[in-house]
Amino acid sequence: MRLTVVLDTVDPAAIVGFWEEALGYRLAADLGAYLVLVSRDDPKEPVVALQRVPEEPAGKNRVHVDVHPPDAEAHIARLEALGARRIGSRMTELLDAEGIWWQQMADPQGNVFCVVADPPPS
């Protein structure tokens, strides 16, 4: 089975570069109302489509993307330089038990996602 994650956006072209950097993906297809991104490294990773919609985001996302980069702090800084913003404080409720923390963020158009710092390999 294949999985595609679809993110609604009023202007896919304006944030495609952001999501390429955020995910380590590349633009694979421009289908007009959809820009399709695929992993640069692993074709088995989920496909991400940026779908043009007429309305701005309203309210809390019911589903969001979690990104697990090798260096969460550096990734957060890169994404902020590209226009992302942090939402609230770092979440550390699993830090002591599991060694995991995450930062909720919003892309330049307000789509919410999290950058997750996984524990170091044991």
Side-chain angles (χ1 to χ4, degrees), residues 12-118:
I15 62 169
V16 68
F18 174 87
W19 283 104
E20 286 175 316
E21 178 67 24
L23 301 172
Y25 277 34
R26 66 176 177 77
L27 181 62
D30 181 343
L31 305 176
Y34 300 88
L35 296 180
V36 180
L37 300 170
V38 296
S39 173
R40 291 181 192 133
D41 302 320
D42 185 354
K44 295 179 184 173
E45 291 287 329
V47 171
V48 173
L50 303 176
Q51 173 181 264
R52 182 179 297 112
V53 297
E55 67 277 352
E56 296 285 339
K60 184 180 183 319
N61 294 10
R62 297 296 295 181
V63 175
H64 67 269
V65 174
D66 281 357
V67 178
H68 297 254
D71 181 344
E73 293 286 0
H75 202 65
I76 289 168
R78 277 195 304 279
L79 297 179
E80 286 178 317
L82 292 169
R85 63 181 170 80
R86 295 176 197 227
I87 300 173
S89 300
R90 181 183 293 180
M91 302 299 292
T92 59
E93 62 197 57
L94 297 178
L95 188 57
D96 290 339
E98 302 295 330
I100 298 169
W101 62 266
W102 63 94
Q103 177 65 54
Q104 188 177 40
M105 301 187 75
D107 76 7
Q109 291 186 11
N111 294 301
V112 176
F113 66 99
C114 293
V115 175
V116 180
D118 292 318

